[in-house]
Amino acid sequence: MKKIFAFAVVAFIALAAVSAQTVTGDDVESLNSYVDTSTQTIEVEDKYADQHPSASTVKMEIEWTPVTGVVRLYYTTMAASFDRGEAMNTAIAVYEDFAVENKYTRYTYSSKDRVRYYKDERGIRMAEYCSHVTFVR
């Protein structure tokens, strides 16, 4: 039994040695390179005023990770003029334009949209709508 086991181990090692691949200089370079997984922050200009008529001043910001296609949209306005439906419509319009600009075909929601209320440095109540999606090419 020991001889059969020893023969199987030797055969396995010989087969592994024969099928081993050599690594060339180009392959080493590609193995050592890394993928940039940094997140880009993009300020969105407010050309979507028809989507949110009740909010006069809106600040929109996109956090985008190009490698994974993950996008977070932050829609911030004063709490008194905030309407969740208008924020959702604006987010959809921003996503459609973003998909065209960056050659994405569709997107899926990664989590539920969130609304956060807070006071800014001047003491004004603000509302921040956050939407999290993943784009697919």
Side-chain angles (χ1 to χ4, degrees):
M1 185 69 160
K2 290 182 184 179
K3 290 181 184 179
I4 294 173
F5 181 70
F7 179 73
V9 170
V10 171
F12 178 73
I13 292 173
L15 183 63
V18 170
S19 65
Q21 297 178 352
T22 59
V23 178
T24 62
D26 295 335
D27 292 337
V28 171
E29 247 179 59
S30 66
L31 290 174
N32 289 337
S33 67
Y34 64 95
V35 176
D36 185 17
T37 59
S38 63
T39 302
Q40 298 177 7
T41 303
I42 303 168
E43 191 85 23
V44 178
E45 67 176 277
D46 188 19
K47 59 182 179 181
Y48 307 98
D50 56 331
Q51 300 291 332
H52 54 83
S54 66
S56 58
T57 57
V58 173
K59 178 186 171 200
M60 288 182 283
E61 188 176 272
I62 289 178
E63 290 180 356
W64 175 40
T65 308
V67 172
T68 59
V70 173
V71 171
R72 288 187 191 268
L73 172 76
Y74 296 99
Y75 172 99
T76 307
T77 188
M78 291 183 1
S81 63
F82 177 74
D83 180 15
R84 188 180 182 110
E86 290 179 359
M88 289 171 57
N89 291 338
T90 305
I92 291 169
V94 170
Y95 290 149
E96 288 172 355
D97 290 345
F98 186 81
V100 170
E101 290 173 8
N102 295 294
K103 299 177 183 155
Y104 287 112
T105 56
R106 61 186 171 87
Y107 63 91
T108 59
Y109 284 88
S110 301
S111 64
K112 293 177 87 174
D113 298 343
R114 295 176 298 147
V115 177
R116 177 178 75 106
Y117 294 95
Y118 65 97
K119 286 188 178 180
D120 67 355
E121 62 277 351
R122 298 174 296 172
I124 299 173
R125 273 184 55 86
M126 303 293 282
E128 180 183 65
Y129 172 83
C130 178
S131 179
H132 183 205
V133 299
T134 303
F135 280 91
V136 179
R137 292 195 192 266

